[in-house]
Amino acid sequence: MLEDKDFIKSCDVPGPTKEAIRAIILYKSDVTSDDIVVDCGCGTGGITCEFSQRAREVISIDTNPEAIEITSKNLEKFGLGDNVTLINDDGANAIKDIDNIDIAIVGGSGRQLENILDIVHCKLNSKGRIIITAILVDTKVEAVNKLKDLGYNPKIMEVNVSNGRVLDRGILMMSENPIAIITAKKR
């Protein structure tokens, strides 16, 4: 796993997704070296970098050109990216042109989550996986309901991570924002 502190960051671009969350996403995705992964809302590229080490191909999408630029810099910094395509576009629009998706990760949807999930559902290979990360309660509810409408049996977990900082007089636990990880497999 790549360490959070090693990523190039920007105050105008979200991310990277924290290391513990990336680890759970990797585990839940059951990624193989044959998989084609779409990272919708790639931000600084934390998920893109992790999947580029494990999947056959990663297609990373973000509407923010600075996000694409920082993801590119992070891939270069870690010596990754030979199997990554970066697309600066709206998620729904970009996914329309992609076929054969094995794993779709939606971390940013620009208020188009339902539309993105409709398109992903049509493009997802048999036994394909969808992973959605959400901070807002409304997004969690919207994701679960839409996946159910599409015939999936979604699973949701809320993750609260605290990291310890050792001080002279003890250990201070610093919590990160809780995040939901919603997963579904095509049947």
Side-chain angles (χ1 to χ4, degrees), residues 31-100:
V31 64
T32 72
S33 59
D34 292 327
D35 286 330
I36 298 171
V37 178
V38 171
D39 181 8
C40 184
C42 65
T44 58
I47 290 171
T48 295
C49 288
E50 295 292 356
F51 276 93
S52 72
Q53 298 175 76
R54 296 160 175 87
R56 178 176 56 159
E57 181 182 354
V58 180
I59 303 161
S60 298
I61 305 162
D62 207 294
T63 58
N64 182 348
E66 189 178 356
I68 296 298
E69 182 181 329
I70 292 175
T71 296
S72 177
K73 287 179 181 177
N74 278 317
L75 287 164
E76 185 178 328
K77 178 179 181 177
F78 297 120
L80 305 168
D82 291 343
N83 60 342
V84 177
T85 302
L86 299 173
I87 301 173
N88 179 211
D89 198 354
D90 161 292
N93 193 45
I95 293 170
K96 286 178 186 174
D97 295 330
I98 302 168
D99 292 319
N100 301 323

Side-chain angles (χ1 to χ4, degrees), residues 130-169:
I130 299 172
I131 300 172
I132 302 161
T133 56
I135 295 172
L136 299 175
V137 172
D138 297 14
T139 306
K140 299 169 196 178
V141 171
E142 181 182 9
V144 168
N145 287 337
K146 183 61 181 179
L147 289 169
K148 285 169 48 180
D149 288 347
L150 290 170
Y152 293 87
N153 181 20
K155 304 206 178 338
I156 183 168
M157 68 167 40
E158 183 90 358
V159 181
N160 296 287
V161 176
S162 295
N163 291 301
R165 196 168 110 205
V166 179
L167 306 173
D168 289 340
R169 62 176 215 223

